[in-house]
Amino acid sequence: MKLLFDFLPIILFFGSFMVANANADGAARFATEHLGFAVSGGVVGPGEAPVLLATIVVIVATLVQIAFLLARRRKVDTMLWITFALVTVLGGATVWFHNPTFIKWKPSALYWAMAVVFWVSQTVFDRNLLQSLVGEQLQLPRGVWKRLNVAWVLFFVLIGFVNLYVAYNFSTSTWVSFKAFGLTALMLVFMLVQGVYVARHMEPEDGAVPLDRKPQ
C-alpha cells in the first residue's frame, strides 16, 4: 500500500499526460479555458497542453499526499518535502513559461539532492542513512554499510544524468514513459543487485557462516 502511495504522483503524471496527448486539441482548449490565468499569455497550444496538465496534476497529487499524512498525524519524510518543493518550483515554471524543460529537470534535481543528503550524512555527520532506515532488519558490518551508501550516491548521480540525456535527446512523450517506467526499472535492478551483495555480507545467525566466508 505504501509503495502505491509513494508512486501515485508518477502514475497520475503518466496517465494524465497520455490521456491529454491522445486529444491534444481538446486538452489545449481545456487548459486555456480553465488554467489560462496561470500561463504566460493566457493561451495553451496543443503541443504543450499534455505536459502542462500532467505537471499540474503531479503538483496537486504531491500536495494531497502531504496533506493526507499531516491529517493522519504521520511524519512527512524529508524527501517528500524536497519533492514537493522541486515539483512546485520547476513545475510552476513549466506551466508559466510553456516549457517542459523545467519539469524534465525535476527527477535529476531530486536524485542529486538525495545523493548530497546521503553523502553529507555519512561524511560530515558520520550517520549512515541506509543503516538508520533498515539497520534493525539487516545486520551488516560497518564497512559494508559505507560501501552501500557510496553505491547509492553514485547511482543517484548517474540516473540524474541519464534522465537529462533522455529529456534532451528524445521526445517529451518518450521522456514521460521513461520517467514512469525506465527510471523505476533502473531503480529495481539496482536494488536487486544490492540485495545480492547484501546477502553475501549479512552477519551470521545462530552460528551460521556467511556465504562469503564458507570454505571453497
Side-chain angles (χ1 to χ4, degrees):
M1 190 65 182
K2 185 180 185 302
L3 185 64
L4 177 61
F5 181 81
D6 292 339
F7 278 91
L8 185 60
I10 296 176
I11 296 171
L12 292 176
F13 181 84
F14 175 78
S16 56
F17 177 88
M18 289 303 172
V19 170
N21 198 43
N23 184 15
D25 291 333
R29 289 193 296 271
F30 177 87
T32 299
E33 180 179 351
H34 298 282
L35 303 169
F37 66 91
V39 179
S40 176
V43 178
V44 180
E48 61 210 30
V51 72
L52 263 64
L53 290 173
T55 298
I56 291 174
V57 167
V58 79
I59 292 173
V60 173
T62 307
L63 178 60
V64 169
Q65 279 186 316
I66 293 175
F68 174 80
L69 291 173
L70 292 176
R72 297 287 298 272
R73 298 184 183 277
R74 296 168 60 183
K75 179 183 178 182
V76 179
D77 292 336
T78 302
M79 283 300 117
L80 183 55
W81 284 116
I82 294 176
T83 298
F84 178 64
L86 289 173
V87 79
T88 301
V89 173
L90 297 177
T94 283
V95 173
W96 178 255
F97 293 109
H98 305 236
N99 191 339
T101 300
F102 295 101
I103 196 62
K104 289 179 179 180
W105 271 82
K106 178 260 175 181
S108 296
L110 177 61
Y111 291 134
W112 291 339
M114 293 171 70
V116 170
V117 170
F118 273 61
W119 181 76
V120 170
S121 296
Q122 181 69 65
T123 59
V124 177
F125 300 103
D126 195 28
R127 180 191 177 197
N128 191 296
L129 289 184
L130 285 176
Q131 188 174 6
S132 299
L133 292 172
V134 298
E136 294 183 359
Q137 291 76 37
L138 294 175
Q139 299 299 318
L140 298 170
R142 181 177 175 84
V144 173
W145 282 116
K146 286 187 175 181
R147 288 193 289 273
L148 290 174
N149 191 77
V150 171
W152 275 102
V153 171
L154 295 176
F155 176 72
F156 285 138
V157 172
L158 176 62
I159 59 173
F161 283 111
V162 171
N163 172 69
L164 292 183
Y165 175 81
V166 175
Y168 280 99
N169 290 278
F170 296 90
S171 67
T172 298
S173 179
T174 299
W175 172 79
V176 169
S177 297
F178 175 75
K179 179 180 184 295
F181 303 107
L183 290 175
T184 301
L186 289 174
M187 183 74 71
L188 292 176
V189 170
F190 177 73
M191 292 175 67
L192 178 62
V193 172
Q194 282 220 327
V196 174
Y197 176 76
V198 166
R200 294 184 59 85
H201 292 84
M202 290 182 65
E203 293 288 349
E205 296 181 1
D206 299 326
V209 180
L211 292 176
D212 61 342
R213 300 179 191 172
K214 287 184 177 181
Q216 302 298 319

